[in-house]
Amino acid sequence: MNTIFKTDFNLPGQISKYEGKVRDVYSLENDLLVVIASDRISAFDIVMPKPIPFKGQVLNQISVDMLKSTEDIIQNWLISSPDPNVSIGRKLNPVKVEMVIRGYLSGHSDRLYSSGKRSICGVNLPNGLASNQKFDNPIITPSTKADFGHDEDISKSDIIKKGILTLDQYEEIEDITYKLFKRGTEIAKKRGLILVDTKYEFGYDSKDNLCLIDEIHTPDSSRYFYEDTYEDYMNRGETPKQLSKEFFRQWLIKNDFQGKEGQDLPEISDNVVMDVSKRYIELFDKITGSSFKPRNSNNIISDLKENIISAIS
């Protein structure tokens, strides 16, 4: 299908290009960033060899919507979105920490807990918790932002000890993280969903004002459960139905792959690819409350470039 796996543009005023796991980021003159949400999918910090149709469009459009819905809490980097897969915004000085916030014992935290750990990023957890159980209060489990390889868990005290942030900076970011998660939880509830966990990234502008950067509340950065069936699944001791890419991670795990040395990536069939695509579109419909409208393009790469150049000219 007409997907975006890689871009290689030479845009007017371009200074550099950075290729992340999912996004291609072009730095332009005047501190502008052009961020293209590709259809790449990663798991265990490894980019999979097959793109997922419409994934980038889903991620970009949800994130644009969510950034606009949180502007009263904190200013953000976004200026415009001239294409379904593109966001243009301000280049900021990024904080080298991802603020991961969890309302439930799921995903990475559940795997650590099941292995016997009772302290995650300096947060102590009680014995006897069940997988996917709701915490009494959300917990923050930060991770260091790695340019290459695996992000690593880190505690609040180590962030301050290592000079990544001052105490005042961390506490401001911590407060904003709780407020953003509360807003995301409220939005999800209106759509019959539970925001299980998510992550936020921040940066500072030239005047040292804190800003929100990157994507928020997307299925790549967040995990969602269906609210109406959560209790039933938990009572049966089963994993609640969810909308996130965690189900793709679980598919990889069942096929003996967790990104560890010596493990071979399983064959990702077209059926698996289309199932993942449907899950992303389903989440778009649920979280935005509107029907997804796939872009209609005979040459998506050409259209991308044309729309970007029109926006920055």
Side-chain angles (χ1 to χ4, degrees), residues 12 40 49 73 76 90 138 150 211 247 251 255 269 295:
R40 298 190 295 269
I73 297 174
N76 61 62
R90 298 178 293 155
H150 294 272
C211 302
F247 77 91
W251 179 85
N255 285 273
S269 70
R295 64 182 304 152

Side-chain angles (χ1 to χ4, degrees), residues 34-57:
V34 174
V35 181
I36 301 171
S38 77
D39 295 318
R40 298 190 295 269
I41 187 168
S42 70
F44 304 110
D45 291 321
I46 296 172
V47 177
M48 300 294 115
K50 289 186 177 181
I52 305 299
F54 308 119
K55 174 179 176 288
Q57 181 182 346

Side-chain angles (χ1 to χ4, degrees), residues 8 12 18 30 33 39 45 118 129 136 151 161 170 179 189 192 219 230 239 279 285 301:
D8 191 20
Y18 166 75
N30 300 317
L33 286 180
D39 295 318
D45 291 321
R118 293 296 179 268
L129 295 178
D136 290 338
D151 296 344
K161 282 179 186 176
Y170 183 88
K179 289 178 179 176
K189 186 174 179 61
Y230 170 75
T239 301
R279 296 275 190 123
D285 291 350
I301 299 298

Side-chain angles (χ1 to χ4, degrees), residues 130-295:
S131 294
N132 304 305
Q133 182 175 334
K134 185 178 182 180
F135 295 127
D136 290 338
N137 296 292
I139 65 171
I140 293 176
T141 59
S143 68
T144 55
K145 183 64 176 170
D147 290 332
F148 301 98
H150 294 272
D151 296 344
E152 295 184 359
D153 292 343
I154 189 170
S155 66
K156 173 182 177 179
S157 60
D158 282 343
I159 290 170
I160 295 163
K161 282 179 186 176
K162 293 181 179 182
I164 300 173
L165 292 167
T166 66
L167 177 61
D168 286 346
Q169 286 175 325
Y170 183 88
E171 289 184 342
E172 180 184 15
I173 290 173
E174 183 181 57
D175 178 61
I176 294 295
T177 296
Y178 282 122
K179 289 178 179 176
L180 290 170
F181 189 69
K182 184 174 184 290
R183 177 66 54 81
T185 298
E186 292 166 350
I187 294 171
K189 186 174 179 61
K190 291 177 182 177
R191 305 298 180 195
L193 297 172
I194 294 171
L195 179 58
V196 178
D197 54 42
T198 191
K199 61 95 177 172
Y200 303 109
E201 296 186 48
F202 299 89
Y204 289 97
D205 64 16
S206 58
K207 297 181 180 178
D208 286 332
N209 296 310
L210 186 67
C211 302
L212 187 60
I213 63 174
D214 201 57
E215 62 179 340
I216 66 166
H217 300 157
T218 73
D220 267 21
S221 65
S222 315
R223 192 186 329 270
Y224 291 90
F225 289 155
Y226 283 89
E227 186 178 34
D228 60 349
T229 57
Y230 170 75
E231 291 292 344
D232 289 340
Y233 277 96
M234 289 296 290
N235 290 336
R236 295 198 301 267
E238 298 175 2
T239 301
K241 184 181 179 184
Q242 61 181 289
L243 282 172
S244 74
K245 71 173 184 180
E246 177 63 20
F247 77 91
F248 181 64
R249 293 191 197 97
Q250 292 300 324
W251 179 85
L252 290 170
I253 291 171
K254 287 177 182 177
N255 285 273
D256 302 317
F257 185 82
Q258 296 185 56
K260 296 179 180 177
E261 189 174 345
Q263 293 182 333
D264 294 325
L265 186 67
E267 174 65 25
I268 303 172
S269 70
D270 290 344
N271 285 339
V272 171
V273 168
M274 294 313 299
D275 185 41
V276 176
S277 180
K278 288 176 183 176
R279 296 275 190 123
Y280 274 90
I281 291 171
E282 185 180 359
L283 179 53
F284 178 93
D285 291 350
K286 286 291 293 184
I287 198 62
T288 65
S290 59
S291 295
F292 179 71
K293 296 177 181 178
R295 64 182 304 152

